[in-house]
Amino acid sequence: MSEVAIEEYDLIVVGAGIVGCAAARAFATDGRRVLLLERDLSEPDRIVGELLQPGGVNALKALGMEDCVEGIDGIPCYGYVVIRNGDTVDIPYPVDEETEKQAVGKSFHHGRFIQNLRKAATGTENVTVKEATVNSLIKEPGLDKVIGVVAQLKSEKEEEKQFYAPLTIVADGLFSKFRKDFTVKTPDVRSNFVGFVMKDLVLPSPQNGHVILAEPSPILMYQISTHDTRILVDVPGKLPSVSNGDLKNYLKENIAPQLPDAVAVKFLEALEVERLRSMPNGFLPPSVNKAEGIILLGDAMNIRHPLTGGGMTVAFNDVVLLRQLLSQEHVPSFTDTELVVKKLKSFHWQRKKYSTAINVLAMALYRLFAANHDYDLEILQRGCFGYFLLGGTCISGPVGLLSGLIQKPFVLVYHFFCVAFYAIHMEIKQNGWSGVHTSFIMFFTVLYTACVAILPYLWSETKY
């Protein structure tokens, strides 16, 4: 009876998505032998992960993977336009200190970008890619230490196969199979994005992302290829049924009338021919990787509302930092479990520099933009729009945070409460002397609402 060959690597990566491909290439170029496992290597078709902020582009360059945004009919993005009650404000990206030019992001079809990332990973020396479904983790007998995975290869009908490595990165996304084994935290889902493509639409401001402050919550639009423009409609609460036509009717009756006329025409046309797809929007604060032999990364570990398009920026920066902390110079072998766990604790706190601002901004901004007839939130929303209209640092600061170029959480706190006090100022001015009593009460209720909108998310970033 022949013995089954044991396959051993330095690192196993579960999931060949945004994080998995970047991590596989990053560690392989550092001399590690990497096994990258992916359930389905065909081109994915998703409605999110289609806009890479300038901070994410810079991280991609640091990983030597900047070519992955080329050759996929992507569209440069130079900032945002916010539309409220027919009024607009331009929010251009700031000047990138690295290039000394206006920062630029890139929007594209998610699947095309993923295939380029996979091609880059596959073509990297020391990376082995297999199409396989990971069914379970292998743990050292009597211990909670992960030493490999059990997977079913797609190309073979035989029994499950075992792969071994002293370290495994789990990057299996939003619906992670293994998250529950390592953290009690679960995603807090508040709404769903409903998305589809509009054909040959000329946006009000080409090469910019568009945010429409609609009722009951915001709408996003950005061009993802020469002929395709993605629209994402945030639907809070329970999603209307697709099968009986409730969702389609909701979009037609509630959303279409709130769109600019030229957009509404294309929106209604697409509504008749495009398949309506949805993705849950939630929040999952990060946790320290305490388990031995395993790291959770990407949406498996940390989720924020995709309103600000910061997910991929955080993901690529995570890989840059992790590669630095776990380089062969600092960790000669991943078998030194104690040293790896120590480095992962450092990773948890060092990533706050860039992740906290993006995570908290996404959630706090969503609270304001999805005011949904809440009196105090609507005051804050009007104040936020008015703050942007002031221009100067009132735009460059917030968009610098959103783009991932300003990596200073205190800048977020400063601008958020500047918005709150400016909103209160606008309301007091509107109320005049005759509304002094109302304004006095409003001062405290709006300030309290602002605190509730941001402080819980800031607090979640300080915990394990």
Side-chain angles (χ1 to χ4, degrees), residues 48 226 393:
V48 293
T226 302
T393 58

Side-chain angles (χ1 to χ4, degrees), residues 51-63:
L51 196 158
L52 184 62
Q53 299 287 0
V57 173
N58 289 345
L60 204 58
K61 290 177 182 176
L63 294 168

Side-chain angles (χ1 to χ4, degrees), residues 222-454:
Y222 43 87
Q223 190 176 352
I224 56 175
S225 67
T226 302
H227 298 287
D228 296 345
T229 295
R230 172 71 66 197
I231 185 164
L232 295 169
V233 178
D234 186 84
V235 181
K238 186 179 179 181
L239 196 65
S241 172
V242 178
S243 58
N244 66 8
D246 284 353
L247 180 57
K248 183 177 179 180
N249 289 334
Y250 171 83
L251 297 174
K252 186 181 293 186
E253 296 170 8
N254 295 68
I255 303 303
Q258 300 186 70
L259 299 173
D261 292 342
V263 175
V265 172
K266 291 290 185 180
F267 179 86
L268 292 171
E269 286 179 4
L271 202 55
E272 296 302 321
V273 296
E274 292 287 329
R275 180 166 66 96
L276 300 181
R277 291 183 295 153
S278 64
M279 282 289 290
N281 297 327
F283 177 65
L284 177 69
S287 302
V288 172
N289 279 278
K290 295 180 181 179
E292 296 182 351
I294 192 165
I295 306 172
L296 294 181
L297 276 186
D299 283 351
M301 182 262 287
N302 183 202
I303 304 169
R304 80 290 305 148
H305 197 287
L307 172 67
T308 55
M312 291 190 293
T313 297
V314 171
F316 287 133
N317 276 287
D318 276 349
V319 175
V320 170
L321 176 59
L322 199 61
R323 179 185 63 176
Q324 175 189 334
L325 292 173
L326 298 181
S327 67
Q328 292 222 39
E329 179 185 354
H330 297 116
V331 184
S333 173
F334 290 154
T335 57
D336 190 344
T337 304
E338 186 177 335
L339 181 57
V340 170
V341 171
K342 182 180 177 181
K343 292 294 184 181
L344 291 180
K345 185 175 181 180
S346 296
F347 170 71
H348 176 77
W349 295 110
Q350 287 188 40
R351 73 187 294 272
K352 302 293 184 186
K353 176 183 176 183
Y354 53 83
S355 67
T356 294
I358 292 175
N359 289 341
V360 176
L361 176 65
M363 302 310 300
L365 209 55
Y366 176 71
R367 286 291 301 273
L368 267 59
F369 286 1
N372 198 15
H373 303 298
D374 181 289
Y375 175 75
D376 294 312
L377 285 174
E378 286 187 340
I379 290 175
L380 287 168
Q381 185 188 108
R382 288 195 295 273
C384 184
F385 191 81
Y387 189 74
F388 292 153
L389 287 172
L390 295 175
T393 58
C394 298
I395 284 181
S396 62
V399 79
L401 293 163
L402 181 148
S403 64
L405 296 175
I406 296 179
Q407 299 183 347
K408 298 174 182 177
F410 73 85
V411 175
L412 166 63
V413 177
Y414 168 78
H415 281 287
F416 188 83
F417 281 101
C418 280
V419 165
F421 284 111
Y422 187 71
I424 291 169
H425 163 75
M426 287 177 62
E427 200 67 14
I428 290 175
K429 190 175 180 181
Q430 181 176 305
N431 290 341
W433 285 107
S434 60
V436 168
H437 176 69
T438 301
S439 295
F440 180 78
I441 297 172
M442 177 273 302
F443 176 91
F444 293 101
T445 59
V446 170
L447 191 57
Y448 171 79
T449 301
C451 291
V452 170
I454 192 172

